[in-house]
Amino acid sequence: MASKPRVRAPKSASKGEVVEIKTLISHKMESGQRKDSDGNVIPRQIINHFEARFNGEPFFIAEIEPAVSANPYISFYHQPQESGEYEFVWNDDDGSTYSKKSKLTVEG
Amino acid sequence: MMSKAMSRRQVFFSIGGVAAAGVGMTLMPGLAKASPEEVQKAIKEMIGDTTPQEGKVSLDLPEIAENGNTVPVGVSVDSPMTQDSYVKAVHLMADGNPSPEVITFKFTPQSGRAEASTRMRLAQTQNVVAFAEMSDGSVYRAAQPVKVTIGGCGG
């Protein structure tokens, strides 16, 4: 149901620099509060969990509720001490997971 | 017959108002605000019995949100973010939504900065509240009212 996870993370940073990371995933974030034209509740289906890892280690997590808007956007920070790889993972109520990776080079 | 005194703008707004009300009725039947008990329960689940202190937490929110379906919200907490002293989590809550919880951000010393942002649904004019849990167990709180022109559905 979701698609196109998008991440804006730096490709390089200096050691100890605090960098900003912005993420977005296309998803309807059906809240479970709405009804269809026949009056039946439309079942909840949201992205309920987001995790940002660096070299396998989670450094930022978001526990997401239906109050988060469609196409959930999350921005946050990281202070890398070494070069490595980011992995960003989104979990859907339907059991699917979506992920995106990105490399970072730390200089100095 | 429409009164001559009614300007085009007034006509536009009255039609828009009716349309918006119609959409609201089909999309949000029985949309209820959480009761004070539900809000208290949600707070207890977030921070337990700790009494929150004021300060350290800043919310970045619009005073007026024209579209309650997507309201930008940022939160930052004053913290050195070291192994000895960091922000473990920030819980965001909207006390006028059918379900008050919005999102929980969990941080680590590797976060570097206890700051994050997202976009949320606000069903109506209400208070947005942030609770920050520090690594020493203390809790800090900040709240800010947001006026919502057209409520976001669900939440």
Side-chain angles (χ1 to χ4, degrees):
Chain A
M1 287 312 235
S3 63
K4 286 191 291 182
R6 274 168 280 174
V7 171
R8 187 178 294 169
K11 297 270 174 274
S12 65
S14 47
K15 188 172 156 67
E17 183 186 350
V18 177
V19 299
E20 186 178 22
I21 298 168
K22 297 179 175 181
T23 69
L24 182 81
I25 189 164
S26 302
H27 195 283
K28 59 188 177 178
M29 295 294 283
E30 188 61 62
S31 70
Q33 299 280 346
R34 301 196 308 146
K35 289 183 182 172
D36 63 19
S37 50
D38 297 328
N40 304 313
V41 173
I42 305 170
R44 168 183 142 157
Q45 197 198 343
I46 67 166
I47 296 284
N48 57 49
H49 183 94
F50 168 79
E51 202 163 305
R53 302 175 189 146
F54 188 65
N55 291 336
E57 185 85 14
F59 64 91
F60 174 85
I61 290 171
E63 303 291 357
I64 303 169
E65 302 292 335
V68 170
S69 304
N71 306 325
Y73 163 84
I74 299 174
S75 75
F76 51 93
Y77 291 85
H78 180 228
Q79 190 171 27
Q81 304 294 343
E82 58 192 2
S83 298
E85 188 177 53
Y86 287 113
E87 186 180 14
F88 306 97
V89 182
W90 293 258
N91 293 99
D92 194 306
D93 275 349
D94 72 3
S96 327
T97 60
Y98 310 94
S99 70
K100 187 141 179 126
K101 290 182 178 180
S102 139
K103 283 202 178 359
L104 176 80
T105 307
V106 169
E107 293 130 7
Chain B
M1 268 307 273
M2 203 170 286
S3 142
K4 260 189 187 167
M6 200 171 189
S7 70
R8 273 171 45 174
R9 178 166 294 184
Q10 281 170 322
V11 171
F12 176 77
F13 275 125
S14 59
I15 292 169
V18 169
V23 167
M25 275 187 281
T26 47
L27 292 181
M28 293 186 283
L31 183 77
K33 174 183 164 163
S35 68
E37 293 75 30
E38 286 170 321
V39 171
Q40 284 311 314
K41 188 167 166 266
I43 294 173
K44 193 163 177 167
E45 275 170 19
M46 290 172 190
I47 62 168
D49 292 319
T50 313
T51 306
Q53 307 169 54
E54 298 294 321
K56 295 203 184 215
V57 183
S58 313
L59 276 165
D60 185 12
L61 280 163
E63 272 179 46
I64 298 175
E66 289 188 4
N67 179 1
N69 274 312
T70 174
V71 182
V73 53
V75 63
S76 65
V77 186
D78 183 14
S79 163
M81 295 304 276
T82 58
Q83 290 292 344
D84 294 336
S85 173
Y86 64 97
V87 180
K88 283 165 68 180
V90 172
H91 307 277
L92 282 180
M93 188 186 86
D95 67 7
N97 273 359
S99 172
E101 301 89 350
V102 175
I103 195 165
T104 295
F105 298 125
K106 293 182 178 168
F107 301 98
T108 58
Q110 292 71 44
S111 301
R113 191 182 298 179
E115 185 175 338
S117 66
T118 187
R119 296 178 190 134
M120 64 183 167
R121 296 165 169 149
L122 293 179
Q124 57 188 314
T125 295
Q126 57 182 294
N127 290 309
V128 174
V129 190
F131 295 99
E133 281 183 78
M134 317 301 259
S135 54
D136 67 0
S138 60
V139 175
Y140 288 82
R141 174 190 180 274
Q144 195 179 312
V146 181
K147 277 192 180 130
V148 177
T149 315
I150 300 172
C153 298

